[in-house]
């Protein structure tokens, strides 16, 4: 199969929508990362997504919607869900909610769970595409399972060229890190994945979030929280003050040496998140012994950045 690169204009979006309506796969830009789109109501399209990504079957997918109103037909929203949806959708927030009994989303998309992960993306191309398709789109990050998420169409093609029908090229993603996932399917709300919306903004509205620990990572509540993930080919060393011989330094802030690749010379975490995946890719070269990453503060988007970096640094030999 040849993977086409479609310009994200009206014609490209119409072509992409046509492909998706016939069960084909098209990667599309969102404000967080590129998603690997497939018709969420079509079991075969969902199966094709798992195959293209070589993704473990038990790991459910996020379903993308054009607007918050669509969510009500698929899942049960309580007061907390409505509050968050009203304030943060469209945007980098995914809500895990109980499925409605008559929910038309393919069972395979939620890996057989009674819950559904829903998100309304803010990117204008994603919204236009969802409206043109007229069906919810499943959209995991558009990369082979376990590797670094794509923030440009080139990144998508690096990993999936020949395995999907097309990629809609909407330029680089502004947020650069995946959505924050909050589980509202139980009485106590839980943060399943820190992401592009800082947890503090959510807690300001609905109170403290539970944070399932490492021991819960394989529990059904957070099936996709595999330890090694977002990983480059080279080893990653965290909390580095300087590069050791053979290492490439990924810097952060004004204290970083001037000759290194710097996530944000001014120490801005929003800028650092936007650069994170592209810079890890740039340093992931065969001649590099390891990627050494300077410390990143844990506040704001730092929590999501450090989550991705810790997973990238897990040794490859315990990969699932
Ligand atoms: O920003 C994002 O969220 C991107 C863009 C494309 O929207 N998508 C994304 O999808 O990161 P993916 O498939 O790479 O990550 C989805 C995560 C996984 O960790 C999965 O286990 C979790 O969401 N998830 C999906 N459905 C779930 C459910 N019903 N219950 C718990 N976790 C769920
Ligand atoms: Mg992913």
């Amino acid at each position: 199969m040849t993977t086409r690169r479609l310009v994200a204009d009206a014609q490209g979006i119409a072509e992409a929508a046509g492909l998706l309506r016939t069960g084909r796969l098209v990667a599309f830009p969102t404000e967080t990362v590129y998603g690997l789109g497939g018709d969420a109501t079509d079991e075969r399209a969902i199966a094709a997504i798992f195959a293209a990504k070589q993704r473990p079957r038990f790991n459910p997918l996020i379903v993308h919607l054009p607007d918050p109103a669509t969510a009500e037909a698929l899942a049960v929203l309580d007061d907390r869900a409505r509050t968050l949806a009203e304030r943060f959708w469209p945007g980098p927030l995914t809500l895990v909610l109980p499925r409605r009994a008559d929910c038309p989303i393919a069972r395979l998309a939620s890996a057989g769970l009674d819950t559904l992960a829903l998100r309304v993306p803010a990117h204008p191309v994603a919204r236009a595409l969802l409206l043109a398709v007229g069906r919810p789109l499943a959209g995991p990050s558009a990369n082979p399972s376990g590797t670094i998420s794509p923030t440009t169409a080139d990144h998508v093609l690096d990993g999936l060229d020949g395995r999907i029908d097309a990629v809609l090229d909407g330029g680089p993603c502004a947020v650069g890190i995946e959505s924050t996932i909050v589980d509202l399917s139980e009485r106590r709300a839980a943060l399943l994945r820190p992401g592009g919306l800082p947890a503090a903004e959510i807690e300001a509205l609905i109170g403290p979030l539970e944070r399932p620990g490492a021991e819960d990572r394989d529990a059904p509540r957070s099936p996709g929280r595999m330890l090694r993930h977002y990983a480059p080919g080279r080893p990653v060393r965290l909390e580095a003050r300087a590069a050791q011989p053979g290492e490439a330094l990924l810097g952060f802030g004004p204290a970083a040496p001037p000759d290194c690749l710097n996530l944000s010379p001014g120490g801005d975490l929003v800028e650092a998140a936007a650069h994170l995946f592209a810079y890890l890719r740039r340093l992931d070269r065969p001649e590099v012994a390891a990627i050494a990453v300077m410390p990143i503060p844990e506040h704001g988007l730092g929590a999501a950045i450090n989550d991705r970096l810790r997973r990238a640094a897990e040794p490859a030999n315990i990969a699932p």
Side-chain angles (χ1 to χ4, degrees):
M1 172 192 309
T2 319
T3 302
R4 294 169 60 203
R5 185 197 291 260
L6 300 172
V7 179
D9 57 10
Q11 188 191 336
I13 290 169
E15 276 186 57
L19 287 167
L20 288 162
R21 272 198 301 265
T22 55
R24 306 300 185 91
L25 305 186
V26 179
F28 64 98
T30 82
E31 72 278 24
T32 57
V33 301
Y34 274 71
L36 176 49
D39 179 350
T41 64
D42 179 347
E43 299 276 354
R44 287 176 55 184
I46 302 302
I49 290 179
F50 282 106
K53 277 183 70 79
Q54 298 180 290
R55 176 162 171 135
R57 282 294 156 98
F58 52 77
N59 192 359
L61 309 178
I62 294 176
V63 174
H64 296 69
L65 309 173
D67 48 61
T70 318
E72 302 272 357
L74 305 176
V76 182
L77 281 75
D78 61 11
D79 287 347
R80 302 168 302 178
R82 293 216 174 89
T83 300
L84 294 180
E86 207 166 286
R87 174 71 184 80
F88 297 118
W89 277 352
L93 171 68
T94 294
L95 298 179
V96 173
L97 302 166
R99 276 174 80 111
R100 281 198 182 282
D102 57 352
C103 176
I105 300 298
R107 279 279 167 191
L108 192 55
S110 43
L113 299 174
D114 293 329
T115 55
L116 208 54
L118 298 178
R119 161 161 137 74
V120 178
H123 197 295
V125 173
R127 287 175 60 86
L129 181 67
L130 284 158
L131 288 172
V133 175
R135 287 174 213 157
L137 290 178
S141 51
N143 55 295
S145 196
T147 66
I148 306 173
S149 296
T151 55
T152 67
D154 282 340
H155 296 166
V156 174
L157 291 170
D158 283 348
L160 297 178
D161 195 10
R163 305 179 134 252
I164 60 176
D165 288 276
V167 53
L168 255 183
D169 188 349
C173 304
V175 176
I177 204 155
E178 294 86 347
S179 60
T180 302
I181 304 181
V182 175
D183 184 353
L184 297 176
S185 68
E186 293 176 26
R187 200 174 54 76
R188 292 164 70 185
L191 178 69
L192 298 189
R193 178 176 74 184
L197 178 66
E201 294 193 34
I202 296 164
E203 293 181 311
L205 290 187
I206 64 163
L209 296 170
E210 243 180 55
R211 288 168 169 73
E215 71 282 2
D216 300 328
R217 269 185 189 138
D218 295 324
R221 200 167 192 199
S222 47
R225 305 292 287 148
M226 290 176 295
L227 223 45
R228 181 173 162 83
H229 210 115
Y230 312 101
R234 316 311 304 153
V236 173
R237 183 168 71 85
L238 303 180
E239 305 291 327
R241 296 287 163 187
Q244 283 164 12
E247 287 184 342
L249 186 67
L250 182 56
F252 175 80
D259 57 343
C260 77
L261 198 56
N262 195 325
L263 288 168
S264 172
D268 174 12
L269 290 165
V270 174
E271 183 186 17
H275 288 153
L276 178 68
F277 292 143
Y279 284 11
L280 281 173
R281 279 171 190 267
R282 270 209 237 168
L283 296 181
D284 192 18
R285 298 187 305 263
E287 71 273 20
V288 169
I291 302 172
V293 189
M294 287 180 65
I296 313 279
E298 189 66 25
H299 61 84
L301 287 189
I305 295 172
N306 285 322
D307 171 78
R308 306 306 187 270
L309 285 170
R310 280 192 288 270
R311 288 168 198 284
E314 283 295 320
N317 60 4
I318 64 156

